[in-house]
Amino acid sequence: MTDTNEIRTRFAPSPTGYLHIGGARTAIFNWLFARRHGGKFILRIEDTDRERSTDDSISQIMESMEWMNLDFDEGPFRQTDRRDIYISHVDRLLDEGKAYRCVCSKEDLDTKRDAMMKSGKKPKYDGACRGKDIAADCGKPFVVRFATPKDGETKVEDLLRGYVSFKNDELDDIIILRSDSTPTYNFCVVVDDAQMGISHVIRGDDHLANTPRQAVIYNALGYSLPKFAHVSMILGKDGKRLSKRHGALSVMEYRDRGVLPDALVNYLVRLGWSHGDREVFTLDELKRLFDLDAITKSAARFDEDKLIWINSEHMKIVPASVLTPLVGGILSARGVDAPPGEIEKLSPLLRPRSRTVVEIADSMEYFFADTIEFDPKAAKKFLTREIAPVLLELAERLENIDFSVQSNIEENFRGMVDEKDMKLKNLAQPVRVALTGGTVSPGLFDVMAALGKSKCVKRIRAAAKYAQTPD
């Protein structure tokens, strides 16, 4: 039996696809609320939709949760493993006259629905089988419907919206058990939340319409209602329902694009929650600061540019022990042999210029390459025949200096520029292309010191040979 004063939240995804950011934010809000109040966070897989639910989706959801560091205290529970519990509750409602069997055919229901819509009425079941006391051995396929009270109203408190009232005569006699004896979503949710002692249900406001349907079932079963908090939906920048065209991807796709888990959590929390004007939070800070009273009622708008900016800020503070294996994994997948110690040495040079882990890997790859592929446009512009002898002379000079003192590199480089009466950029850019393959990099002398004498000399000579090659 759970402690009635304990905060208990849950995340209950349907495993019909990958975990996208809307579901991820719901999980984060529930997890943070439980952690903030020393409560429990429960993971439940709502897989009653047998046709669309897949084990692959469950694996993806679990992987996404683990990657975001959203640990759960109980579960994962699968609804398909709890069928006997649901059936016992259905039987109880049948015995108490609070549910009934319905043998209406789909064709009859469709005909009645069309007629109601044509007459301007709200389409719902007309209760044709209610009160008939149809037996289980009636010889016809049947569903079980909940006998919704027809008088009065159902009042539910929402922690974000205040009290919300619904007239009972507007509610339908919803199906709680299908003809194949599988229970339905709205019924399973009530039984699960009650049995698991869920104290707070934090979910998207697209579920607000389900709340009265579930509330009357809670009452019929004699269960206390949890506290509800319906969070506004996430919209695209254009104010329309969020979709992939707004840049919204699954959690794992953001991981693969080099977004850090703490940064994604940080950004998704800020979609609907605030703490002053602050934008960047660590996970520990969020666990200490998050609460429902700072959640806004207005819909949040997804902005991928803002997400990447948040990630760039986290890139500056993520420990090397976390960043190094992430970068190493990307480089390894590309066939690049990059020792962890070398990655860690290069990271301070590249972090300030990188917004994602992938960008760090991109900018680090040329440090470990045996040969450099030149960007065609950069090579055409900077690796000219005129610069070839200058590059060869620079290579000779570099071979005779001590690279362990970085100032030696810069002094010799600038000295050669002065001797030849050149502008610094007219030698620096060809050398940058020679060393990195492109025209963008950290400071040239920092790059040269990090590469070391051998690679610098070898690459500059290779670039000079390339520049001398006829078109």
Side-chain angles (χ1 to χ4, degrees):
M1 192 72 178
T2 58
D3 180 353
T4 55
N5 294 316
E6 182 181 49
I7 298 293
R8 292 174 64 82
T9 66
R10 47 76 163 176
F11 177 51
S14 297
T16 56
Y18 298 156
L19 181 59
H20 288 270
I21 62 169
R25 187 189 65 166
T26 297
I28 292 165
F29 279 8
N30 280 278
W31 181 78
L32 285 174
F33 187 69
R35 295 292 173 260
R36 166 74 171 78
H37 294 282
K40 295 289 194 300
F41 175 62
I42 292 92
L43 177 61
R44 186 172 74 226
I45 306 297
E46 297 188 339
D47 57 348
T48 54
D49 187 343
R50 293 181 177 179
E51 291 185 2
R52 299 174 61 218
S53 298
T54 67
D55 288 341
D56 181 57
S57 292
I58 294 175
S59 297
Q60 289 279 346
I61 290 168
M62 298 289 288
E63 187 178 1
S64 299
M65 298 277 289
E66 182 178 359
W67 179 74
M68 291 187 291
N69 299 302
L70 304 185
D71 57 317
F72 45 91
D73 303 294
E74 297 175 19
F77 300 106
R78 292 183 63 163
Q79 287 184 329
T80 48
D81 295 333
R82 295 170 56 80
R83 181 178 176 278
D84 289 347
I85 297 172
Y86 308 133
I87 296 298
S88 69
H89 281 73
V90 171
D91 289 342
R92 181 174 139 201
L93 290 176
L94 284 168
D95 291 342
E96 295 174 359
K98 297 174 181 176
Y100 60 94
R101 297 180 184 88
C102 171
V103 294
C104 294
S105 68
K106 182 179 183 302
E107 292 74 21
D108 286 344
L109 293 173
D110 287 344
T111 299
K112 291 178 181 179
R113 177 184 178 86
D114 290 344
M116 287 181 186
M117 292 180 69
K118 287 178 182 177
S119 64
K121 296 179 181 178
K122 180 180 177 181
K124 64 176 184 176
Y125 181 60
D126 63 358
C129 292
R130 186 166 175 158
K132 288 187 176 180
D133 196 22
I134 297 169
D137 58 357
C138 64
K140 294 182 180 180
F142 63 83
V143 299
V144 176
R145 291 181 179 274
F146 177 71
T148 302
K150 295 305 177 186
D151 299 324
E153 64 179 14
T154 297
K155 198 172 186 180
V156 179
E157 182 183 9
D158 187 288
L159 296 176
L160 303 181
R161 302 164 189 275
Y163 282 96
V164 184
S165 297
F166 305 87
K167 292 183 178 180
N168 288 340
D169 61 6
E170 293 181 358
L171 301 178
D172 207 347
D173 283 1
I174 65 169
I175 295 171
I176 59 175
L177 193 70
R178 302 182 184 93
S179 58
D180 62 358
S181 294
T182 57
T184 58
Y185 166 77
N186 276 307
F187 186 69
C188 294
V189 166
V190 171
V191 174
D192 285 339
D193 284 346
Q195 292 270 303
M196 295 176 185
I198 302 302
S199 66
H200 291 73
V201 173
I202 306 168
R203 58 189 180 185
D205 63 5
D206 54 328
H207 285 282
L208 189 58
N210 288 325
T211 305
R213 299 185 182 107
Q214 294 167 8
V216 291
I217 297 175
Y218 274 104
N219 294 334
L221 290 170
Y223 290 134
S224 298
L225 269 69
K227 295 183 185 300
F228 292 97
H230 289 93
V231 182
S232 294
M233 298 292 285
I234 302 173
L235 305 177
K237 290 177 73 172
D238 57 3
K240 296 181 180 178
R241 190 179 180 93
L242 191 64
S243 67
K244 277 201 170 186
R245 66 188 173 85
H246 296 108
L249 306 174
S250 72
V251 169
M252 290 293 92
E253 286 175 303
Y254 282 116
R255 178 200 65 181
D256 294 343
R257 286 177 57 177
V259 172
L260 294 165
D262 285 12
L264 184 62
V265 170
N266 181 167
Y267 177 70
L268 293 181
V269 171
R270 288 287 290 112
L271 289 178
W273 174 86
S274 62
H275 183 74
D277 295 328
R278 282 189 62 182
E279 295 282 1
V280 180
F281 300 85
T282 66
L283 212 54
D284 285 339
E285 287 174 329
L286 289 173
K287 286 191 285 186
R288 189 175 71 251
L289 297 172
F290 180 85
D291 221 332
L292 298 179
D293 57 4
I295 293 179
T296 179
K297 296 177 185 177
S298 57
R301 299 203 178 195
F302 178 80
D303 182 346
E304 188 172 272
D305 291 337
K306 184 68 170 292
L307 166 60
I308 298 303
W309 177 80
I310 291 284
N311 195 67
S312 70
E313 293 299 299
H314 278 267
M315 290 283 290
K316 298 172 185 175
I317 60 175
V318 63
S321 59
V322 173
L323 186 62
T324 296
L326 293 177
V327 175
I330 294 171
L331 292 174
S332 178
R334 297 175 181 177
V336 178
D337 181 17
E342 292 300 310
I343 293 175
E344 196 161 328
K345 276 200 302 186
L346 289 168
S347 289
L349 179 63
L350 303 173
R351 273 199 207 212
R353 306 175 62 89
S354 302
R355 301 176 304 159
T356 69
V357 180
V358 170
E359 285 186 5
I360 276 204
D362 290 343
S363 60
M364 195 175 285
E365 191 168 344
Y366 63 77
F367 284 95
F368 301 102
D370 292 326
T371 58
I372 291 296
E373 289 188 15
F374 304 125
D375 174 78
K377 289 184 179 179
K380 183 176 182 180
K381 182 175 182 179
F382 294 108
L383 298 184
T384 62
R385 291 189 182 184
E386 291 76 19
I387 203 66
V390 182
L391 292 176
L392 287 173
E393 183 178 340
L394 177 64
E396 291 296 326
R397 289 191 180 215
L398 294 177
E399 200 163 33
N400 295 311
I401 67 171
D402 180 6
F403 261 58
S404 65
V405 181
Q406 186 169 329
S407 59
N408 289 343
I409 303 171
E410 184 172 355
E411 286 173 8
N412 276 268
F413 196 100
R414 291 184 181 278
M416 183 172 171
V417 167
D418 291 341
E419 288 173 21
K420 296 191 174 296
D421 196 23
M422 298 175 68
K423 291 183 178 180
L424 180 64
K425 67 178 182 179
N426 291 340
L427 181 57
Q429 279 298 75
V431 172
R432 195 185 306 276
V433 175
L435 299 179
T436 71
T439 57
V440 178
S441 76
L444 179 60
F445 305 121
D446 292 328
V447 170
M448 294 176 75
L451 280 169
K453 180 192 295 187
S454 178
K455 282 186 177 179
C456 284
V457 170
K458 181 181 176 182
R459 292 182 185 186
I460 292 171
R461 283 178 174 158
K465 183 178 180 181
Y466 176 93
Q468 291 170 333
T469 304
D471 294 335

